[in-house]
Amino acid sequence: MLEKNFDPKTVEPRLYEKWEQSGAFKPREDEEAEPFSIVIPPPNVTGSLHIGHALNNTLQDVLIRFERMRGKAALWLPGTDHAGIATQMVVERQLAAGNMNRRDMGREAFVEKIWEWKAESGGAIVRQLRRLGASCDWSRERFTLDEGLSDAVRKVFVTLHKQGLIYRDKRLVNWDPHFQTAISDLEVEQKEVDGHYWHFAYQLADGLTYQHPVKDEEGNETFETRDYIVVATTRPETMLGDTAVAVHPEDERYKHLIGKDVILPIVGRRIPIVGDDYADKDKGTGAVKITPAHDFNDFGVGKRHNLEVINILTPFATLNDEVPETYRGKDRFVARKEIVARAEAEGWLKGIEKTKHIVPHGDRSGVVIEPFLTDQWYVNAAELAKEALAAVEDGRTVFEPKNWEKTYFEWLRNIEPWCVSRQLWWGHRIPAWFGPDGHIFVEMSEAEANAAAIAHYGKAVELTQDEDVLDTWFSSALWPFSTMGWPDENAPDFQKFYPTHTLITGFDIIFFWVARMMMMGLHFTGKAPFERVFINALVRDEKGQKMSKSKGNVLDPLVLVDEYGADPLRFTLVAMSGQGRDIKLAKQRIEGYRNFSTKLWNAHRFAQMNECATVDGFDPATVNLTLNRWIRGETHKTIKTVTEALEACAFDDAANALYKFVWNVVCDWYVELSKPILNGDDAAAKAETQAMTAWVLDQCLILLHPVMPFITEELWGATGTNRANDLITESWPVYDAAAIDAAADKEINWLIDLISEVRSVRSEMNVPGSAKVPLSLTGANGDTQNWIGTHRDLILFLARLSEVGVSDNAPAGSIPFVISEATGQLSIAEFIDLQAETARLAKEIAAFDKTIDGTRRKLDNPEFVRKAPDEVIEENRERLSDAENGKARLSAALERLKAAL
């Protein structure tokens, strides 16, 4: 006999170990089996499981378990990313605690230290994924710094370089002064900070003056003679690197000055006034300083006007020798204060304006990022993007939901060169060697580079390998095929499992990962790396706010697994995954699905107590009882719905269909309606229903298994006799339209509708639960009259009625409701105060009206919609919908009640 309760703490570890040791996570070796593969979005080796991981990996696991049960050779390939900057940061912090740094150790010793950390502490997230039930093939686990993957990285870099698609260039990058490296846009956090616009006067050269429009005290426009142009900046220190002032070519105030010069304060350098659309004539003074080496927009202006590019910063964000001696070696922010003070003292500070503005920060270091001019390696992403665009445009790869294709297209159609070099020590060392004259040799190995150098110079020379490593996204862009054994195109996994079928990932890395995998996969294999990209939702708190430690609203999936078990958390995430971009996660929802688990468990306990066991050779197609023919059809309808939903990645539809079937159809109705048969004297009917109950519950377990693997596997093993397989390898049921019996459906659904309508009316009218009310049906046809006779006892018991029958006239004081072709008449006048109930309903409807009116006025207010956070607007829309539905329900009840008066 089953225990009274399911204990996830003891069951989950036992079952997971059993699955893994049995080889159940590996793809079946049947050569006839259709391959189906998914590669995991590799989490950082430094990471730990957060709620976003829990959602993403649960959806992958649902899909892989489903396809495995459908007989496919299903591979879910796991692994982790070396996460260059994040991992280096972890180890540098450890060293700092011991008053050491990586430069003291040297590169080789430092990298060895990171490998030691990775062996001991890295990959905790992999262990945590097991707790979630992730059925990855761990025997194929990969790491982006594995030798095989490193070989693929070198191959790609060298090939792209020889094809002219990787090159070295001096351009602006996001520079992290703390880590001393370029970082990607993804690693930049934009923060709003309090700051200032400092307005500086730049003197016109050669004694030039002009008439500048100003407003007098009365607001009238007049002119004053000026020998300067005012520019505004939030970063005064960068003025030392200015090489122009830009004005809009059509700005009447300045267009006659285009081509003239100003004198750069402090430095004394003559710099030109250029006309460029980048200057906004309606913003600020209309004139902007141009510092090509320290601003991405200014860099573009500099290119267009062939301006000098002067870098004034060191990699540590101190001022270098390009600035006057007074400021050399000083921190950028110290220099800022001194320049502002000097401007004030010398009179060219024309104003200070407080402002809030966006400043880029390193997401790992927390320091302000500098646009910095350096020599870096770049990929010609625009060329690689062409085929990646075409593959989605022509349907070789599809996005689900489809609207995410727009995001993908917009980025690829406007793509910039991709900076792939990083000034770190942890990562894939760039396979480039410099000769004594700076000539670069890009080869697979040092030996090949030396051979190339001999061919170039005619003799052996000393080569120096590039110190930089590759952007982590470069190696992860190869993930779908490098993990399969490429560049060996004859590798068995590459031959069988590439291209993969479905990628499940978040919308935030469509640019940085999905698009780059598409570019690399198509370029090097000729095939798109996946057929379908499913973009999963974002998990927020129950109010729709982003989870953060500072808000104290973070839900830790590991804590939730400890509290509720993995299955309820998984079911919650799957059931809510179709709400668009955001999932509003609340503990109450998880508790609700834990109750669902309990319902499933108790249904099996009920079956055991009533000796409902699997029967060898039992064929549900042979059942005779109407109830059993009905449940057979309902089961096959659910098989069809769930199968189609999972095929389409409509995970929420699958979960909601399962919930409705298990809780409402099986537990609420089939179990209840079968009790008289199981407790009756008809041996044949009892035996058939016992076998059918066991079969139906087995189908529940099979269909639920991808979503709730632990409790279903435990029940499968505990309730079946002589099971040939664990549930994880059981075959998925096949929909059979012939299993649906229209006559049985009509009869049992009528019975359910009748009982449900009576219960609904009783609830709406506040009829006491103990009261047994008479029911009569008018206008009943022959089928209805027969069904009343057949199911009389069940109707009386489940609807709590004193009698049920057919009549020609509606009794006085009865509440009407429609049931099929008949009208039910529930006589409740003697059990409630009709006038009091009428007043109660009217009062509740008025309360709904007040809520509807107030909420609608808010949502109709453009100012509210513009200013309110998205989650507040959504909350109000939900409140309005709930109030309107509640009013409609009570209004219908009030009309019924009035008919009885």
Side-chain angles (χ1 to χ4, degrees):
M1 186 67 187
L2 285 170
E3 297 291 334
K4 187 174 181 181
N5 298 303
F6 174 68
D7 181 15
K9 282 187 170 62
T10 58
V11 171
E12 290 175 358
R14 169 171 55 79
L15 287 180
Y16 195 90
E17 184 179 8
K18 178 185 178 184
W19 287 330
E20 189 171 358
Q21 290 183 354
S22 72
F25 298 162
K26 297 180 180 181
R28 65 180 64 213
E29 296 180 1
D30 181 1
E31 292 185 3
E32 300 298 316
E34 177 187 345
F36 180 92
S37 56
I38 296 176
V39 289
I40 199 170
N44 288 354
V45 71
T46 59
S48 60
L49 193 72
H50 59 62
I51 201 68
H53 289 132
L55 169 66
N56 178 262
N57 286 283
T58 294
L59 297 182
Q60 291 177 78
D61 194 44
V62 168
L63 197 55
I64 209 74
R65 287 178 183 269
F66 167 64
E67 297 293 3
R68 183 186 292 131
M69 295 173 82
R70 291 218 290 177
K72 295 183 182 179
L75 168 63
W76 184 13
L77 196 150
T80 49
D81 193 295
H82 65 279
I85 196 167
T87 305
Q88 184 160 316
M89 179 183 73
V90 168
V91 177
E92 286 203 64
R93 283 178 177 170
Q94 291 176 351
L95 293 175
N99 295 317
M100 293 181 64
N101 64 63
R102 63 183 168 107
R103 291 180 175 80
D104 293 336
M105 297 182 70
R107 183 173 194 139
E108 188 174 328
F110 178 71
V111 170
E112 186 177 333
K113 186 75 173 175
I114 297 181
W115 277 110
E116 289 175 7
W117 173 86
K118 193 261 180 186
E120 293 175 11
S121 307
I125 193 169
V126 168
R127 296 187 291 275
Q128 293 165 349
L129 283 170
R130 286 172 159 86
R131 291 188 61 192
L132 193 65
S135 60
C136 305
D137 182 357
W138 299 107
S139 69
R140 284 175 163 87
E141 183 181 349
R142 304 307 300 268
F143 178 54
T144 47
L145 281 177
D146 286 350
E147 185 49 45
L149 274 66
S150 296
D151 187 46
V153 168
R154 288 190 294 271
K155 176 76 172 177
V156 166
F157 189 94
V158 171
T159 302
L160 289 176
H161 183 264
K162 293 185 185 303
Q163 293 172 343
L165 295 172
I166 279 185
Y167 57 93
R168 194 163 169 81
D169 195 11
K170 187 182 288 290
R171 293 174 61 94
L172 283 189
V173 295
N174 297 310
W175 184 263
D176 188 315
H178 176 78
F179 287 117
Q180 299 283 291
T181 182
I183 62 174
S184 73
D185 290 340
L186 185 66
E187 295 160 321
V188 175
E189 183 181 0
Q190 302 291 351
K191 294 183 180 179
E192 185 178 68
V193 301
D194 292 322
H196 299 85
Y197 274 117
W198 285 276
H199 295 255
F200 294 145
Y202 282 23
Q203 192 81 30
L204 289 164
D206 304 319
L208 193 65
T209 62
Y210 72 105
Q211 297 301 303
H212 190 84
V214 294
K215 301 278 188 181
D216 62 20
E217 291 180 359
E218 297 177 355
N220 300 313
E221 187 172 83
T222 184
F223 293 89
E224 69 176 20
T225 300
R226 285 188 178 179
D227 60 355
Y228 59 86
I229 286 182
V230 176
V231 299
T233 180
T234 59
R235 304 170 67 213
E237 67 280 7
T238 64
M239 67 171 289
L240 303 178
D242 286 357
T243 56
V245 169
V247 297
H248 195 279
E250 297 176 5
D251 192 332
E252 294 295 335
R253 294 170 295 180
Y254 305 120
K255 67 179 184 179
H256 63 288
L257 297 175
I258 293 171
K260 308 298 184 183
D261 290 344
V262 295
I263 306 299
L264 182 62
I266 299 177
V267 180
R269 184 168 62 244
R270 290 174 73 106
I271 59 176
I273 300 170
V274 299
D276 196 280
D277 290 346
Y278 170 61
D280 186 345
K281 57 185 178 181
D282 299 319
K283 184 178 179 181
T285 67
V288 291
K289 58 189 284 302
I290 302 299
T291 321
H294 297 288
D295 183 277
F296 289 100
N297 291 313
D298 291 6
F299 186 78
V301 176
K303 286 279 189 183
R304 290 193 289 275
H305 297 278
N306 198 29
L307 299 176
E308 186 179 4
V309 181
I310 302 173
N311 179 15
I312 63 162
L313 293 176
T314 71
F316 293 92
T318 58
L319 275 64
N320 63 21
D321 291 346
E322 292 289 342
V323 304
E325 188 173 354
T326 304
Y327 303 103
R328 292 174 189 171
K330 290 185 176 178
D331 179 82
R332 53 187 162 163
F333 299 122
V334 172
R336 176 181 297 179
K337 290 179 180 178
E338 293 184 3
I339 289 168
V340 171
R342 181 168 174 177
E344 187 172 18
E346 295 179 357
W348 45 275
L349 175 63
K350 296 298 182 181
I352 302 175
E353 177 187 350
K354 286 187 177 181
T355 186
K356 287 185 179 292
H357 62 125
I358 301 299
V359 176
H361 289 69
D363 67 344
R364 302 285 180 183
S365 65
V367 303
V368 174
I369 295 304
E370 284 292 341
F372 192 61
L373 190 66
T374 62
D375 289 308
Q376 302 284 347
W377 290 95
Y378 290 89
V379 171
N380 183 346
E383 183 62 32
L384 293 177
K386 293 175 182 176
E387 189 62 18
L389 278 165
V392 176
E393 288 169 339
D394 63 28
R396 279 174 280 167
T397 298
V398 297
F399 276 77
E400 295 289 349
K402 189 175 177 61
N403 61 285
W404 288 112
E405 288 181 4
K406 182 181 178 183
T407 301
Y408 176 85
F409 288 146
E410 285 180 353
W411 191 69
L412 283 179
R413 287 169 182 158
N414 298 284
I415 198 165
E416 295 287 332
W418 173 18
C419 176
V420 293
S421 45
R422 297 290 181 267
Q423 290 65 55
L424 302 171
W425 286 356
W426 174 246
H428 292 99
R429 187 90 173 262
I430 290 178
W433 286 262
F434 296 92
D437 60 354
H439 188 86
I440 302 173
F441 302 91
V442 175
E443 302 292 345
M444 287 292 292
S445 67
E446 187 173 5
E448 291 182 24
N450 282 321
I454 291 171
H456 177 76
Y457 294 112
K459 62 179 181 179
V461 298
E462 184 176 348
L463 299 180
T464 304
Q465 187 175 0
D466 195 315
E467 291 287 325
D468 291 352
V469 299
L470 285 163
D471 176 14
T472 298
W473 294 105
F474 189 91
S475 52
S476 60
L478 318 183
W479 185 252
F481 56 96
S482 64
T483 53
M484 301 287 189
W486 190 92
D488 178 5
E489 295 190 358
N490 294 315
D493 279 0
F494 182 76
Q495 287 283 320
K496 185 170 185 177
F497 294 111
Y498 185 86
T500 66
H501 188 279
T502 300
L503 173 74
I504 299 179
T505 189
F507 69 88
D508 53 334
I509 54 175
I510 290 176
F511 311 139
F512 302 101
W513 191 47
V514 178
R516 287 168 177 167
M517 284 190 290
M518 289 288 287
M519 289 190 289
M520 293 299 196
L522 285 158
H523 190 77
F524 284 96
T525 73
K527 299 174 183 177
F530 8 77
E531 295 178 25
R532 174 174 60 183
V533 179
F534 180 80
I535 303 299
N536 61 245
L538 191 68
V539 186
R540 296 183 178 271
D541 72 6
E542 60 188 301
K543 296 179 180 177
Q545 296 181 344
K546 187 175 181 180
M547 292 187 188
S548 70
K549 291 180 181 178
S550 61
K551 292 179 182 176
N553 63 347
V554 172
L555 290 176
D556 185 332
L558 298 171
V559 172
L560 296 173
V561 168
D562 283 341
E563 190 171 353
Y564 301 105
D567 289 326
L569 174 61
R570 288 170 60 108
F571 202 101
T572 304
L573 294 170
V574 173
M576 300 180 73
S577 65
Q579 296 181 7
R581 178 178 289 188
D582 296 346
I583 288 176
K584 295 180 183 177
L585 185 62
K587 279 191 172 185
Q588 292 90 326
R589 293 296 295 263
I590 306 171
E591 289 171 2
Y593 290 119
R594 181 178 60 184
N595 295 341
F596 175 67
S597 300
T598 302
K599 190 87 168 178
L600 180 69
W601 187 264
N602 288 339
H604 282 79
R605 281 174 55 83
F606 166 83
Q608 280 191 338
M609 288 186 284
N610 285 276
E611 299 177 346
C612 302
T614 54
V615 176
D616 289 341
F618 172 72
D619 183 359
T622 64
V623 296
N624 296 309
L625 296 181
T626 303
L627 179 63
N628 291 331
R629 287 185 284 121
W630 168 77
I631 195 61
R632 179 188 65 202
E634 292 298 309
T635 304
H636 276 273
K637 290 176 191 175
T638 304
I639 290 169
K640 183 175 187 289
T641 300
V642 174
T643 302
E644 290 176 350
L646 292 180
E647 285 176 337
C649 283
F651 297 103
D652 58 320
D653 289 345
N656 293 328
L658 287 166
Y659 185 93
K660 180 181 178 183
F661 177 66
V662 173
W663 190 297
N664 300 119
V665 176
V666 176
C667 297
D668 280 357
W669 290 112
Y670 180 67
V671 167
E672 288 302 316
L673 296 176
S674 69
K675 284 179 179 177
I677 303 171
L678 295 174
N679 295 326
D681 297 327
D682 187 332
K686 181 176 182 179
E688 179 184 290
T689 303
Q690 287 172 326
M692 195 63 184
T693 300
W695 178 82
V696 168
L697 290 176
D698 274 359
Q699 302 313 298
C700 291
L701 297 180
I702 295 169
L703 293 171
L704 275 168
H705 179 73
V707 185
M708 306 181 82
F710 291 109
I711 191 170
T712 53
E713 185 73 84
E714 182 71 358
L715 287 168
W716 183 261
T719 58
T721 54
N722 302 317
R723 302 276 199 196
N725 304 310
D726 286 341
L727 180 54
I728 192 174
T729 57
E730 184 65 20
S731 295
W732 189 258
V734 177
Y735 168 68
D736 180 7
I740 299 170
D741 187 310
D745 271 11
K746 188 175 181 182
E747 180 174 342
I748 300 301
N749 288 334
W750 172 87
L751 176 62
I752 291 170
D753 288 346
L754 175 65
I755 295 168
S756 299
E757 283 293 335
V758 171
R759 288 174 172 175
S760 177
V761 172
R762 290 178 65 113
S763 174
E764 289 170 357
M765 304 302 167
N766 269 347
V767 177
S770 59
K772 291 192 174 183
V773 182
L775 172 67
S776 63
L777 283 86
T778 59
N781 63 19
D783 281 345
T784 296
Q785 293 182 35
N786 289 334
W787 294 339
I788 290 173
T790 302
H791 301 291
R792 181 180 302 276
D793 290 343
L794 272 173
I795 294 169
L796 294 176
F797 176 70
L798 294 176
R800 302 190 66 77
L801 300 175
S802 59
E803 59 181 274
V804 59
V806 176
S807 66
D808 295 329
N809 301 304
S814 62
I815 299 293
F817 62 88
V818 176
I819 178 69
S820 192
E821 85 294 343
T823 301
Q825 305 287 347
L826 196 63
S827 301
I828 63 170
E830 65 178 283
F831 300 102
I832 64 170
D833 183 333
L834 296 179
Q835 295 289 351
E837 281 303 307
T838 301
R840 179 184 68 83
L841 289 172
K843 184 177 180 181
E844 291 187 16
I845 290 169
F848 277 129
D849 278 332
K850 185 176 180 181
T851 300
I852 291 168
D853 181 59
T855 309
R856 189 173 281 149
R857 272 191 280 109
K858 274 186 183 178
L859 293 172
D860 288 344
N861 182 348
E863 196 66 12
F864 171 78
V865 174
R866 186 176 67 83
K867 290 183 177 180
D870 289 345
E871 59 266 22
V872 173
I873 293 172
E874 183 60 29
E875 185 180 325
N876 276 274
R877 284 176 178 157
E878 289 177 5
R879 184 182 299 124
L880 178 61
S881 177
D882 290 345
E884 287 175 337
N885 291 336
K887 178 186 175 181
R889 179 175 51 81
L890 294 186
S891 296
L894 183 58
E895 290 304 311
R896 286 178 176 173
L897 198 54
K898 287 178 178 177
L901 290 173

